[in-house]
Amino acid sequence: MTLAPDTQDKFAEYAHPGRLVSTDWLAAHLGADGLVVVESDEDVLLYETGHIAGAVKIDWHTELNDEVTRDYIDGAGFSRLMASKGIARDSTVVIYGDKSNWWAAYALWVFTLFGHEDVRLLDGGRDKWVAEGRDITTDRPDVVATDYPVVGRDDSSIRAYLGDVLEHLGKPLIDVRSGDEYTGARTTMPAYPEEGALRGGHIPTAASVPWARAAAEDGTFRTRAELDAVYRDEAGLKDGDDVVAYCRIGERSSHTWFVLTHLLGFERVRNYDGSWTEWGNAVRVPIVRGAEPGEVPASVNRSAQAAR
Amino acid sequence: MTTGTVPAKLAEIIDDFQDLTEPDRLQLLLDFSRELPALPERYSDHPELLEQVVECQSPLFLTMEIGEAPGHPVHLFFSAPPEAPTTRGFAGVLLEGLDGLPAAEVLAVPDDVPDRLGLTRAITPLRMRGMSAMLGRIKRKIRESVRDEA
């Protein structure tokens, strides 16, 4: 059973308004049948310090990723995870998290790989809920395990691999990292640990549109008109474009994937989750340094074949 | 890599973590996070005296007071926001395990101490790097300070 959408005016402007709920909506619907609230944070202990009443925790690192392969869990693993969190195939899932919902957007994107239909983000995330003085609790939720079907993961429509990106070169590519990561001045976010990329720079032809341009001061998404100005007018995206977004490990680009897909309505947007930690280290793939997007190098077809 | 001995207090904390199951280890780290003391006024009123450890995922500020020769006892002061409990927990472990020790003993702490807490699987290696960075920064500042004096 799914819940009716939040119909506030700001959301009505977006392509898929049902993908967002406000803090007011969530407060009014807590405890509703068919609703499961999920907290997904960068900080692995943050949920334990207090969370929205009844919310379950999903940790992106330890629960959504396979423990040995650099990949997401498979259909059986996702089924077990959902069952243990009390999520049914027809549950309305509302995800929220820290850091302007980076990890919440990332979790939503993984839910989408498994075709979970009704999954939404809390606009403004954890910070907005807390800033508004709404209740949080350290009480553990009573989770009633569910049966969740084993559904195969479909990577084809919203996930790009390295070889896909090589073939994609020449079509719109959005680099959502900070300006210094784009130019190659640094390989990690300011104030973040070194994650071991050998080279700094960006994928040839990628446009630089840092993810934060989609977020307002309070962490909520910018309005439809503001987002159109950034992604259509400035970055030049057009209806019908086939777009790939990337960052460093795929979390910030999940945020941009959400914006392009659900708020602006682009139908073919893929997140390259290997992102710079793969591309910046891969053998025989070209990079560009500096502030200009650069050209597709002539050698790239050979690389695309080698990557297959 | 430094391969000195682990100071007794820190060794005790490591044993406490090792005696627990993985979920309880996280709970213990959360306790350290909650118990991290607030900064004394001389620092809370002067944030410019604190140095940011940029390798940590969440903002962590650190300063130290290093006492007189011969022992050069080291006192540590940490500040991290409540929305960064993992970072606060790491700081709490280092504070309880190292505060007040002579500089030479802190410098001799093995660099792989963070890995010995048994949290790497539950927290992931990436997140554990924040704690290694804190320990590295503490040692570097001690070396700089003792060198300046010499």
Side-chain angles (χ1 to χ4, degrees), chain A residues 73-118:
Chain A
I73 51 178
D74 62 11
F78 189 73
S79 156
R80 281 195 299 275
L81 180 69
M82 293 299 98
S84 72
K85 305 291 178 186
I87 297 171
R89 187 68 173 164
D90 63 353
S91 295
T92 294
V93 177
V94 171
I95 313 182
Y96 73 98
D98 60 358
K99 308 264 174 181
S100 303
N101 274 335
W102 286 352
W103 305 101
Y106 185 82
L108 182 143
W109 178 77
V110 174
F111 272 64
T112 307
L113 290 174
F114 294 97
H116 189 95
E117 199 168 310
D118 189 2

Side-chain angles (χ1 to χ4, degrees), chain A residues 17-230:
Chain A
R19 293 293 174 179
L20 279 178
V21 302
S22 60
T23 49
D24 280 339
W25 184 96
L26 185 58
H29 288 80
L30 282 183
D33 274 351
L35 173 69
V36 181
V37 183
V38 171
E39 176 162 341
S40 204
D41 297 318
E42 176 171 285
D43 192 303
V44 68
L45 287 179
L46 188 54
Y47 170 89
E48 281 78 8
T49 68
H51 50 81
I52 295 177
V56 294
K57 167 186 175 177
I58 293 183
D59 184 60
W60 62 282
H61 217 321
T62 57
E63 293 184 301
L64 295 177
N65 283 278
D66 185 273
E67 208 174 333
V68 284
T69 310
R70 183 175 171 184
D71 198 2
Y72 301 102
I73 51 178
D74 62 11
F78 189 73
S79 156
R80 281 195 299 275
L81 180 69
M82 293 299 98
S84 72
K85 305 291 178 186
I87 297 171
R89 187 68 173 164
D90 63 353
S91 295
T92 294
V93 177
V94 171
I95 313 182
Y96 73 98
D98 60 358
K99 308 264 174 181
S100 303
N101 274 335
W102 286 352
W103 305 101
Y106 185 82
L108 182 143
W109 178 77
V110 174
F111 272 64
T112 307
L113 290 174
F114 294 97
H116 189 95
E117 199 168 310
D118 189 2
V119 55
R120 316 179 187 182
L121 282 186
L122 174 65
D123 197 25
R126 179 185 168 98
D127 287 349
K128 184 158 194 280
W129 182 274
V130 171
E132 290 170 349
R134 298 180 189 269
D135 287 342
I136 56 172
T137 177
T138 53
D139 293 346
R140 292 187 185 204
D142 294 322
V143 175
V144 180
T146 53
D147 271 327
Y148 195 95
V150 176
V151 182
R153 201 182 71 213
D154 177 9
D155 290 347
S156 63
S157 52
I158 62 167
R159 186 179 184 196
Y161 303 144
L162 187 138
D164 299 330
V165 179
L166 281 165
E167 283 178 17
H168 180 85
L169 290 183
K171 296 183 210 161
L173 194 56
I174 304 284
D175 183 320
V176 317
R177 298 173 302 161
S178 58
D180 278 353
E181 291 171 272
Y182 180 84
T183 60
R186 59 185 309 144
T187 54
T188 62
M189 271 182 274
Y192 266 66
E194 175 57 57
E195 281 176 344
L198 287 175
R199 297 169 300 164
H202 55 266
I203 299 177
T205 74
S208 171
V209 187
W211 70 275
R213 303 223 29 217
E217 304 283 306
D218 62 358
T220 56
F221 288 104
R222 294 202 174 276
T223 62
R224 175 70 188 256
E226 290 168 331
L227 294 175
D228 276 333
V230 171

Side-chain angles (χ1 to χ4, degrees), chain B residues 75-87:
Chain B
H75 288 286
L76 303 167
F77 302 90
F78 293 101
S79 170
E83 41 316 340
T86 303
T87 298

Side-chain angles (χ1 to χ4, degrees), chain B residues 22-39:
Chain B
E22 223 165 59
D24 286 344
R25 286 176 196 165
L26 286 178
Q27 201 55 47
L28 181 57
L29 189 64
L30 189 61
D31 293 342
F32 275 104
S33 164
R34 291 202 173 108
E35 287 158 18
L36 184 70
L39 288 171

Side-chain angles (χ1 to χ4, degrees), chain A residues 211-289:
Chain A
W211 70 275
R213 303 223 29 217
E217 304 283 306
D218 62 358
T220 56
F221 288 104
R222 294 202 174 276
T223 62
R224 175 70 188 256
E226 290 168 331
L227 294 175
D228 276 333
V230 171
Y231 293 96
R232 289 178 195 271
D233 304 345
E234 273 182 54
L237 295 183
K238 301 179 301 295
D239 286 334
D241 273 351
D242 177 358
V243 188
V244 169
Y246 73 95
C247 59
R248 183 187 45 131
I249 56 173
E251 89 291 20
R252 287 173 288 176
S253 46
S254 295
H255 188 274
T256 296
W257 171 86
F258 182 86
V259 170
L260 295 177
T261 301
H262 291 312
L263 306 187
L264 296 181
F266 289 95
E267 284 167 11
R268 176 72 169 158
V269 185
R270 285 175 292 169
N271 181 21
Y272 169 39
D273 58 279
S275 278
W276 198 254
T277 53
E278 179 178 43
W279 193 277
N281 287 321
V283 176
R284 301 183 76 227
V285 302
I287 70 164
V288 172
R289 287 206 176 89

Side-chain angles (χ1 to χ4, degrees), chain B residues 2-74:
Chain B
T2 318
T3 51
T5 45
V6 180
K9 198 75 198 277
L10 188 57
E12 212 176 284
I13 297 173
I14 291 172
D15 287 343
D16 288 346
F17 272 98
Q18 290 291 348
D19 285 345
L20 297 171
T21 60
E22 223 165 59
D24 286 344
R25 286 176 196 165
L26 286 178
Q27 201 55 47
L28 181 57
L29 189 64
L30 189 61
D31 293 342
F32 275 104
S33 164
R34 291 202 173 108
E35 287 158 18
L36 184 70
L39 288 171
E41 268 176 34
R42 62 184 182 280
Y43 294 120
S44 59
D45 293 346
H46 293 279
E48 75 281 2
L49 296 175
L50 301 170
E51 180 180 348
Q52 183 168 13
V53 181
V54 295
E55 297 89 346
C56 293
Q57 289 205 329
S58 299
L60 172 84
F61 292 89
L62 159 71
T63 195
M64 297 159 63
E65 291 175 1
I66 300 176
E68 299 293 313
H72 296 294
V74 174

